[in-house]
Amino acid sequence: MEAEDSSQLHEVNDVQSHNCQSDETIQQPSQDATISNATPQCSLTGSKAPPPYQGVYLHPDYMHYNPQYGQPQNAPVWSLAQPLPHVMRSGMMSREDQDQDTEAAAKRPNAHQDQSPAADEPPTEHPPHNDDLNPEKDTPEARVAKPDERGFFNKWGEIRHKFREPLAEWLGTTIAMTLGLCAGLQTYTSQNQAGSFPSLAPAWGFAFMIAIYMAGGVSGGHLNPAITISMAVWRGFPAKKCMVYVAAQIVGGITAGGIAYALYHDAIVESSVSNHVAQSESLARQALLTAPKAFVHPVTAFFNEFVGTAILVGTIMALGDDTNAPPGAGMQAFILGILIGVLVLALGYNTGGCFNCARDFGPRLVALMAGWGGQLFRENHAWWIWGPWAADITGGLCGTFIYDLAIFTGSESPINYPRRRRKRALLIKEKNLMRKFRFGRRKIRDVERAVWEVEQ
């Protein structure tokens, strides 16, 4: 009898050790493994980040009731808070490489089934404990805290899992712009009694730093359509996600504009009444909207935004380049906060220092809904289009182009494609566009032959 009890006890211990690591295992990783995996660090930026669970307490049953925690992230994350991922793009791969990948996939079972990235799949439930087979634990009270068979506690958990990235991007943009807009409204409505332009610049910088720390590990914390579009063109960020991110950032800008306007509505009214002007002409306008000064030439205003965004996005690519000199763990967001503050200080006077399409469009739409008039979208020859959108997006693309042309050596950038494969990538995009819009489909039948004809 004692032998049977001892054998059952050993089985339970084995299952529990398989299900979740002990506190000592999590908090104190093997010293031999640390030594064997260590690599010499000869950089002034410091060593690599520690393991994600080092020093974090986990209850022995925590993993059982929270199966989503600690799931490996197999999908790349283009985050501003860590080095950018290295991916293989279709333009870099030759036709022979793609044929080999197709043959290898055909040899695997279920190769022709639709496969989605591991990050998009719902997390699986952790293997059950032996104690879970106990009928006493099958009561309604015991089942309350258990996730369902897909690892979700409720319906919202499933919805959040599907839209976690755009939700994080929306929340980060909302937080960053709410803090920045409120700092501006406080400064201008108080007529510089509760702030000044030199204090407004670091407020915008550290507002985006906080937002990147909040959303960087989930969505990447782009918070700017110019950054997202530049990532898609030069670093392989998925084009389908690009539009979703831009939409989330615009919605975040609208949300932030509404919150800031509601919080400072009384101050805006007081400022307009004391100066005997309409709200749309009050000092609050300078905080909510960006616009070139009356003496600034349109070309100067365009290139003011162009150069500022080029420096911003080019520096982001440099911070994410692990072959250059990336900062230590967790320092990217802090450096970007300082950079944004410097850009506002150096280039913010001529146009208001936008450098972000959503930063201008969201509050401008809120001001329109507040009754400031439709002239907001017509003034300065529709500045909101050729300034915050056209200048910022082209500036971000150009800034990354210059960095890749001068420094970056990764194969993600089209700058580093071989000459033949660059032509092949352009022809593939042209063919895909023809197929999508259903015109000229017979012009490019064989891409490889078309490339050969171009080279002759």
Side-chain angles (χ1 to χ4, degrees):
M1 186 66 179
E2 294 179 356
E4 293 179 356
D5 294 340
S6 62
S7 63
Q8 293 178 357
L9 181 61
H10 284 301
E11 291 178 359
V12 173
N13 292 336
D14 291 341
V15 173
Q16 291 180 349
S17 63
H18 175 72
N19 285 336
C20 56
Q21 295 174 310
S22 64
D23 299 341
E24 295 178 358
T25 304
I26 296 172
Q27 296 180 7
Q28 299 176 359
S30 174
Q31 185 176 2
D32 296 337
T34 303
I35 295 175
S36 61
N37 295 331
T39 55
Q41 297 291 333
C42 302
S43 174
L44 300 179
T45 58
S47 59
K48 294 182 178 179
Y53 303 131
Q54 184 174 357
V56 178
Y57 170 77
L58 288 179
H59 188 276
D61 292 331
Y62 185 84
M63 292 292 292
H64 173 64
Y65 291 103
N66 296 269
Q68 299 182 27
Y69 181 78
Q71 290 289 330
Q73 179 68 30
N74 295 325
V77 179
W78 283 260
S79 175
L80 305 192
Q82 61 188 11
L84 298 174
H86 298 287
V87 296
M88 284 300 300
R89 306 182 69 177
S90 58
M92 189 63 184
M93 298 177 65
S94 64
R95 185 174 184 179
E96 292 77 10
D97 296 336
Q98 294 183 350
D99 292 341
Q100 291 178 0
D101 292 342
T102 303
E103 293 176 0
K107 294 179 181 179
R108 295 194 300 267
N110 302 326
H112 299 288
Q113 294 182 1
D114 294 335
Q115 297 181 359
S116 58
D120 297 336
E121 297 178 359
T124 57
E125 186 179 7
H126 203 274
H129 289 279
N130 280 357
D131 293 343
D132 295 334
L133 303 178
N134 190 344
E136 297 179 358
K137 288 199 171 185
D138 205 21
T139 60
E141 292 80 5
R143 291 197 301 268
V144 168
K146 290 184 180 180
D148 60 14
E149 65 277 2
R150 296 165 298 174
F152 301 116
F153 287 105
N154 49 40
K155 185 64 177 178
W156 174 246
E158 182 179 359
I159 297 174
R160 182 180 57 218
H161 178 76
K162 294 180 179 179
F163 301 100
R164 194 163 179 245
E165 292 182 350
L167 284 174
E169 199 69 12
W170 164 80
L171 180 60
T173 307
T174 300
I175 295 298
M177 290 187 55
T178 298
L179 294 176
L181 291 174
C182 287
L185 287 170
Q186 174 178 281
T187 299
Y188 289 109
T189 57
S190 66
Q191 297 182 355
N192 295 334
Q193 295 181 7
S196 60
F197 186 80
S199 67
L200 182 59
W204 272 108
F206 288 118
F208 275 90
M209 178 199 72
I210 294 170
I212 293 172
Y213 278 126
M214 176 179 291
V218 178
S219 67
H222 298 181
L223 316 179
N224 187 338
I227 296 175
T228 301
I229 294 173
S230 298
M231 290 282 188
V233 173
W234 300 106
R235 290 297 181 271
F237 183 74
K240 293 181 179 179
K241 286 186 177 181
C242 181
M243 294 297 101
V244 176
Y245 271 46
V246 171
Q249 292 155 5
I250 293 175
V251 174
I254 297 173
T255 306
I259 294 174
Y261 181 83
L263 293 176
Y264 278 87
H265 176 263
D266 296 340
I268 294 172
V269 172
E270 175 63 23
S271 176
S272 62
V273 170
S274 61
N275 293 311
H276 305 286
V277 295
Q279 291 187 22
S280 59
E281 301 297 332
S282 65
L283 296 175
R285 176 192 178 91
Q286 302 180 45
L288 287 176
L289 311 178
T290 64
K293 296 291 190 295
F295 55 84
V296 177
H297 195 275
V299 176
T300 304
F302 178 89
F303 280 102
N304 187 89
E305 290 290 321
F306 181 92
V307 172
T309 312
I311 295 174
L312 172 63
V313 181
T315 305
I316 288 173
M317 299 303 175
L319 295 175
D321 185 3
D322 60 353
T323 64
N324 194 342
M331 290 298 294
Q332 283 95 331
F334 179 73
I335 295 173
L336 286 177
I338 296 176
L339 172 63
I340 293 174
V342 171
L343 287 176
V344 175
L345 279 174
L347 301 173
Y349 179 69
N350 285 337
T351 60
C354 183
F355 317 126
N356 187 336
C357 317
R359 180 260 178 271
D360 178 86
F361 182 75
R364 192 176 293 269
L365 192 59
V366 170
L368 176 65
M369 292 185 289
W372 286 22
Q375 74 278 359
L376 296 176
F377 288 87
R378 298 190 299 268
E379 59 187 8
N380 294 317
H381 308 287
W383 153 259
W384 69 276
I385 295 178
W386 60 269
W389 283 98
D392 290 352
I393 291 176
T394 55
L397 294 173
C398 184
T400 311
F401 171 77
I402 294 175
Y403 178 77
D404 290 1
L405 195 66
I407 296 177
F408 188 66
T409 59
S411 62
E412 306 93 280
S413 174
I415 293 293
N416 298 323
Y417 286 3
R419 181 171 175 265
R420 175 183 176 86
R421 296 182 186 177
R422 187 184 298 113
K423 294 179 179 179
R424 182 175 181 274
L426 292 175
L427 289 173
I428 289 176
K429 291 182 178 180
E430 182 180 353
K431 186 176 182 179
N432 291 337
L433 288 175
M434 290 180 179
R435 182 184 296 110
K436 182 177 181 180
F437 294 103
R438 298 184 178 183
F439 67 90
R441 297 179 61 180
R442 297 182 179 180
K443 292 183 179 179
I444 305 178
R445 293 185 177 180
D446 189 348
V447 173
E448 298 300 328
R449 181 175 180 83
V451 173
W452 180 82
E453 292 175 353
V454 171
E455 292 179 346
Q456 300 303 316

